[in-house]
Amino acid sequence: MADVDTAKERLRRFAEHEAAGISPLYSHLAGHAAEDDDVAALLLEAGTGGDAHPNLLLAVAHRLIQAEPIHPLSRYYPSLGGMDGVDGATWPEFRTFLLERRDRVKELLRTRFTQTNEVNRAAVLYPAVARAAKEAKGKVGLVEAGCSAGLLLGMDRFAYQYRLPGGEQLAAGPKKTPVGLHCAVELADGAQPPTVPTKLNVGAKVGLDRNPVDAQDDDELAWLEACVWADQPDRIRMLRTAADAQAKDVPELVAGDAAGGLSTAADRVPEGMPLVVFTSHVLMYMEPEHRDEFVTALGELAGRRPVWWASLEPYEYGLGLVLPRREELAYASTARPTVGLVTWKNGAPNGQALALADPHGQRMTWLGA
């Protein structure tokens, strides 16, 4: 990241466009940090420009408060049992807490990454992955790039309830499962509801991450929990439930970056099995050249076997790389990521915009592509 002003702008945008109306605590903290040179400057310690996202700073703070659960600041953190809403003391308490632990904060910012395993995102990815599996006409191998702990690779074992306009509901997935996800679906003009099968025919699961996380390790699970917004304890409970479920269906996790390691991860899937590669809020953290390299790697892989790419990414960083000039999808104006599906034919990508979704998967507008 270039300078403190850039960090402050990221914090401001996060407060006003990502956390506003969703997380009162994080909107408040990021908004104040955007006006504070000392706190904003901490983001400069993050490993690369793409990693210097407000989520990382807030996750580091969350992790440190987890380690000091009786600190007065914890009363603002529902994840730690706090019951107090934001008030005039919240920001001064938070600022002092961080700056008194400046060295530890910097260390975590340098060595950790934002690794949010937002389980409910599976609800908005599921229709895209299911469409790809239907087109594949048989078992598919799931490959999640930027998988963190790979919890979303369990999407074939989750149950889904989609609430449509007028009260109609669509159900998908197995009936007996500890992980049940809900998503409200709005329909764009002229769009028909998504098709969601009761079963996803998965033959292999592989996760790819530069720093894979073992969700069965208590310390690593604590970091995953710290990456969840602290005033949304239901999301943390769902994370724990999915981590427990994963213990019975552990995917193979491969260390490597999204572009350079994609071929290695794909090789773990039986030869000839079609691949569904999916990403969820991963490309937004990459530098532009790395995003291009990832799409190139997908195309090269598609030259050797059938490949689909299902994505939940801000349009500018995801689907827009292969389906340009769809300004109505721009994250800069919608503040909603796009659910996209891309296939390759004769070396050329063919992209479809399927939905606009909320960042954490609780709601989507189905476009009916």
Side-chain angles (χ1 to χ4, degrees), residues 12-47:
R12 182 198 62 76
R13 180 164 179 80
F14 176 84
E16 296 179 359
H17 296 280
E18 296 185 45
I22 301 174
S23 173
L25 176 62
Y26 278 18
S27 179
H28 176 82
L29 295 177
H32 279 280
E35 305 298 327
D36 190 300
D37 286 358
D38 291 335
V39 174
L42 293 171
L43 264 182
L44 303 181
E45 296 295 327

Side-chain angles (χ1 to χ4, degrees), residues 230-242:
D231 53 358
Q232 298 181 355
D234 286 349
R235 290 173 55 201
I236 294 178
R237 284 191 287 270
M238 184 58 70
L239 173 73
R240 292 172 182 164
T241 300

Side-chain angles (χ1 to χ4, degrees), residues 7-358:
K8 291 168 73 172
E9 175 57 24
R10 289 190 180 184
L11 286 158
R12 182 198 62 76
R13 180 164 179 80
F14 176 84
E16 296 179 359
H17 296 280
E18 296 185 45
I22 301 174
S23 173
L25 176 62
Y26 278 18
S27 179
H28 176 82
L29 295 177
H32 279 280
E35 305 298 327
D36 190 300
D37 286 358
D38 291 335
V39 174
L42 293 171
L43 264 182
L44 303 181
E45 296 295 327
T48 68
D51 290 314
H53 190 278
N55 267 327
L56 181 59
L57 179 63
L58 292 165
V60 166
H62 195 183
R63 184 68 188 97
L64 293 177
I65 297 167
Q66 285 176 339
E68 300 182 46
I70 62 171
H71 189 280
L73 185 59
S74 67
R75 71 184 186 272
Y76 299 111
Y77 278 67
S79 61
L80 300 174
M83 302 289 287
D84 289 6
V86 170
D87 59 31
T90 309
W91 169 250
E93 193 85 62
F94 180 85
R95 183 182 191 276
T96 299
F97 180 87
L98 278 189
L99 296 180
E100 285 181 346
R101 294 156 183 78
R102 190 191 305 261
D103 291 344
R104 180 62 174 144
V105 169
K106 289 182 176 180
E107 177 189 357
L108 288 172
L109 287 168
R110 287 192 295 265
T111 58
R112 285 291 192 177
F113 310 104
T114 303
Q115 292 181 294
T116 305
N117 260 210
E118 182 50 62
V119 179
N120 216 82
R121 288 175 182 160
V124 296
L125 280 166
Y126 186 80
V129 173
R131 178 178 291 196
K134 181 179 180 180
E135 293 174 0
K137 299 179 181 179
K139 287 186 177 181
V140 298
L142 297 182
V143 176
E144 183 182 8
C147 68
S148 185
L151 298 184
L152 294 186
L153 286 163
M155 67 169 62
D156 61 317
R157 292 174 175 256
F158 301 163
Y160 305 90
Q161 287 286 339
Y162 296 94
R163 300 183 299 278
L164 300 176
E168 182 184 355
Q169 295 204 25
L170 295 177
K175 293 183 178 180
K176 294 183 179 181
T177 174
V179 182
L181 307 180
H182 298 265
C183 180
V185 180
E186 300 170 345
L187 299 177
D189 290 344
Q192 296 298 312
T195 300
V196 285
T198 56
K199 182 179 180 181
L200 198 59
N201 201 358
V202 176
K205 300 177 181 182
V206 181
L208 172 65
D209 198 279
R210 57 182 169 175
N211 186 32
V213 176
D214 181 1
Q216 309 310 310
D217 179 275
D218 289 343
D219 187 59
E220 293 300 294
L221 182 59
W223 174 248
L224 293 181
E225 293 176 358
C227 288
V228 178
W229 296 1
D231 53 358
Q232 298 181 355
D234 286 349
R235 290 173 55 201
I236 294 178
R237 284 191 287 270
M238 184 58 70
L239 173 73
R240 292 172 182 164
T241 300
D244 289 341
Q246 189 195 65
K248 300 177 183 178
D249 181 34
V250 180
E252 181 177 5
L253 302 184
V254 177
D257 65 66
L262 186 60
S263 180
T264 299
D267 287 344
R268 301 294 204 277
V269 176
E271 186 176 355
M273 184 178 291
L275 297 179
V276 181
V277 179
F278 67 92
T279 61
S280 170
H281 286 258
V282 173
L283 275 67
M284 64 185 293
Y285 294 107
M286 295 182 184
E287 298 294 343
E289 61 270 22
H290 294 155
R291 290 194 286 267
D292 292 338
E293 289 170 1
F294 175 69
V295 173
T296 298
L298 283 167
E300 292 173 350
L301 191 59
R304 302 195 298 271
R305 63 201 299 179
V307 171
W308 287 258
W309 173 32
S311 62
L312 176 66
E313 305 282 350
Y315 169 78
E316 295 89 330
Y317 308 140
L319 187 63
L321 300 175
V322 297
L323 184 66
R325 297 182 296 278
R326 291 289 299 272
E327 287 77 10
E328 76 278 11
L329 302 174
Y331 188 79
S333 58
T334 67
R336 304 179 82 192
T338 300
V339 180
L341 185 62
V342 181
T343 58
W344 279 259
K345 185 175 182 179
N346 298 324
N350 176 36
Q352 294 178 293
L354 302 183
L356 287 170
D358 285 1

